[in-house]
Amino acid sequence: MIDESVLLESRTMRTSVLGRTEVLDKVKALSLLPDGLHVTTAMVAMYYEVAENAIRQVVKRHRQELTENGMRTLRGSDLQRFESDNLYLSNESYPQGRAHLAVYTRRTILNMAMLLRDSEVARSVRTYLLDREESPRQRPAPNDVESLDERITRLSEASFTKLLGRTVVPMLNALVETSGEHHRELLSLRNDVQQIQIKLVEHDVQLSRLQRGQDVKALTGIIGTIDAMNWREFEEHVAQLLRRDGCTDVELHGGHGGDRGVDISARTADGRTVAVQCKNFAPFRHVLSGEMQKFLGASKVIHEADVALYVATCAFTRESLALAAQGGVTAVHRGLLEAWSAGVQLQVLRSS
């Protein structure tokens, strides 16, 4: 079996197994707050049988990764509302008048298991995850939709796609800027590489959807239901969330050429225009910077939207998150999507 320490070192490997939150209950009973969705730092420490400071140190070192996977720090009115919904937090064991509170989803708790080095419970979770990961590879069924070779190809394509987006395309951009007599040839080469990148992403999505269709019966909970949706169902789900949170004039554009780069348009309760991009990618995928750039142009330049939402069933790369922050796009990653679907209203949709 693969050594469980690989999860401590490889974020890619961690991301590939983050959907298996049911492992937490198989290793040890997990207590949740009354909302059935979150736990506090103290509860995470209790589950993994470590000091709270150990959890805080992991958060300090890996804050971005944990945040992308559902961890939130509540302050002000958000904290007051959360405490009101979880009344037992006000007992003697809970500090009164605190300025902020970190809360974690099941996905974040599983993420924590792959970052905590000195916890026997976390080690058991990692071992269980890798045992589940390796077993199908050792005994592939002859009628599987996706064979072992196809899985390896899919993972290789995902890595190669990231390499193209992060290294090859930027290098060609730099060469184009400084080229002289070979300018036209370099432009053609860059376009070819970008087309390859697009094709690999499309192929990756198709393979992952085939595999996801096999695993639908094993999926549970909110995020499992979302993973089982096709693209049209996912867009309708996001549209329903917008309506639930007070948006009006919610319109689905159906993914046709007339959408001009936006899947859903709407208007907030206080009159601001909303543009939404929906991507039901496989959990191990990441939204790339090039994909974020396209939506930035569509939402902010073409549609001139006041609120831009990029809603995805996966995480975002660091580069795409930086672009989103710079351009005023709210990146609704997998963890935040789960919380939104469970009833938490997006901050950006609230009336100012």
Side-chain angles (χ1 to χ4, degrees), residues 64-118:
Q64 180 179 351
E65 179 178 345
L66 291 166
T67 300
E68 290 176 2
N69 288 312
M71 186 188 76
R72 293 190 299 149
T73 300
L74 303 174
R75 294 181 174 85
S77 60
D78 288 339
L79 176 56
Q80 292 175 4
R81 187 179 300 107
F82 186 86
E83 290 179 320
S84 175
D85 292 340
N86 296 271
L87 293 177
Y88 90 86
L89 286 179
S90 60
N91 64 23
E92 294 180 358
S93 64
Y94 183 75
Q96 299 297 304
R98 66 185 302 158
H100 56 82
L101 175 68
V103 292
Y104 311 75
T105 62
R106 292 176 64 90
R107 183 179 175 86
T108 328
I109 302 166
L110 182 60
N111 198 166
M112 186 69 69
M114 295 178 273
L115 298 170
L116 271 171
R117 293 180 178 272
D118 300 321

Side-chain angles (χ1 to χ4, degrees), residues 11-21 68-69 107 154-155 158 162 204-205 207-209 211-213 215 219 223-224 226-229 279-287 312-317 333-335 337:
R11 181 170 178 179
T12 300
M13 191 64 180
R14 292 196 294 270
T15 302
S16 71
V17 296
L18 271 175
R20 297 178 178 169
T21 57
E68 290 176 2
N69 288 312
R107 183 179 175 86
R154 171 166 54 81
L155 293 174
K162 291 181 182 178
D204 170 38
V205 171
L207 284 175
S208 64
R209 284 176 179 169
Q211 180 62 27
R212 191 164 59 199
D215 296 337
L219 294 172
I223 202 65
I226 294 172
D227 281 338
M229 295 176 181
K279 293 295 183 185
N280 60 336
F281 287 153
F284 61 81
R285 270 288 312 275
H286 282 71
V287 175
T313 55
C314 62
F316 291 72
T317 64
H333 54 74
R334 186 175 176 85
L337 172 62

